[in-house]
Amino acid sequence: MHLYTYDSAPNPRRLGLFLAYKGIDLPTTQIDMRENKHRDAEFLAINPLGTLPALMTDEGVMLTEVIAICDYLDALYPDKPLMGSTALERALVISWDHRIFVSIFEAFAEMLRNRSPAFENRALPGPLDIEQIPELETRGRKRFRGSLELFDTELGDKPFLCGDSITFADIDLLVGVETARWVKESIPEGCDNLQAWLERSRAALS
């Protein structure tokens, strides 16, 4: 296997925390997104989507979605499972993860990609030129804050999103919350359940 990534970017960080927690070490090539190396012809020949991370499996199959890479690796390396140990646990992790991606990561992308000059004509990830829509920044902030308030209520006094053990869903929410600092957002005031969860998750991953 071979991993193409850029450690400091949000999606690669999701995978990086997963790999570190499980103790998986993969041959890796860093693709510098700050220098737009993910849009160079050399990398597009490897992954035509131009997205990171991307994992080339031993079978020669390219996996480009973080949740797919993690699900694949969790099956290959079952110690310290992060995708659930039963069918129901796995369903809960995937359900939470989908919600987090749609309501937190997409909201973050709306805030960042529709305001920053660095993303001119790149309002969506991938190879297509997509124009910015400045009004979506406001919508992104509303989605982000409202979703975290709802998550705080649903979390209640549970240690982690899916129960007593940390899962990939917790990793994703942690990355979403911490990356939101890039657009001057954080856990809303009064979300004490989420704040306590964040400290537990950081401790569990350290």
Side-chain angles (χ1 to χ4, degrees), residues 151-160 163-164 193-194 196-197 200:
F151 289 176
D152 181 77
T153 299
E154 292 188 64
L155 181 63
D157 59 1
K158 292 188 299 184
F160 299 102
D164 294 332
N193 296 331
L194 264 181
W197 159 87
R200 284 193 297 271

Side-chain angles (χ1 to χ4, degrees), residues 11 33 36-40 43-44 47-53 64-65 101 109 113 118-131:
N11 280 327
M33 298 184 78
N36 282 324
K37 296 299 183 182
H38 59 303
R39 294 170 65 87
D40 284 357
F43 181 66
L44 291 176
N47 175 15
L49 294 176
T51 56
L52 294 167
T64 59
E65 306 305 320
F101 192 84
R113 287 181 169 268
F119 291 101
E120 185 177 1
N121 290 323
R122 292 176 52 213
L124 293 174
L128 299 179
D129 289 337
I130 304 292
E131 66 275 9

Side-chain angles (χ1 to χ4, degrees), residues 34 44 53 76 90 98 126:
R34 290 176 304 179
L44 291 176
L76 290 182
R90 183 171 180 272
H98 180 73

Side-chain angles (χ1 to χ4, degrees), residues 121-183:
N121 290 323
R122 292 176 52 213
L124 293 174
L128 299 179
D129 289 337
I130 304 292
E131 66 275 9
Q132 293 174 315
I133 303 175
E135 292 81 4
L136 288 181
E137 180 188 357
T138 301
R139 188 179 78 171
R141 293 190 187 280
K142 185 175 182 179
R143 290 175 68 192
F144 179 85
R145 295 168 187 168
S147 295
L148 287 187
E149 289 169 355
L150 182 59
F151 289 176
D152 181 77
T153 299
E154 292 188 64
L155 181 63
D157 59 1
K158 292 188 299 184
F160 299 102
L161 290 175
C162 298
D164 294 332
S165 301
I166 195 165
T167 67
F168 183 59
D170 298 287
I171 287 176
D172 265 6
L173 185 54
L174 181 146
V175 172
V177 167
E178 292 188 339
T179 305
R181 291 178 297 188
W182 295 8
V183 289

Side-chain angles (χ1 to χ4, degrees), residues 35-110:
E35 300 295 327
N36 282 324
K37 296 299 183 182
H38 59 303
R39 294 170 65 87
D40 284 357
E42 182 179 356
F43 181 66
L44 291 176
I46 297 169
N47 175 15
L49 294 176
T51 56
L52 294 167
L55 178 70
M56 179 64 74
T57 71
D58 290 338
E59 296 83 3
V61 175
M62 178 64 75
L63 298 177
T64 59
E65 306 305 320
V66 176
I67 192 167
I69 296 171
C70 291
D71 195 45
Y72 175 71
L73 293 175
D74 212 45
L76 290 182
Y77 301 90
D79 289 347
K80 302 174 71 174
L82 284 170
M83 298 300 296
S85 299
T86 67
L88 181 57
E89 288 175 357
R90 183 171 180 272
L92 285 172
V93 173
I94 292 173
S95 179
W96 266 108
D97 199 68
H98 180 73
R99 288 181 60 189
I100 291 163
F101 192 84
V102 169
S103 59
I104 300 300
F105 282 91
E106 286 188 0
F108 168 76
E110 284 185 342

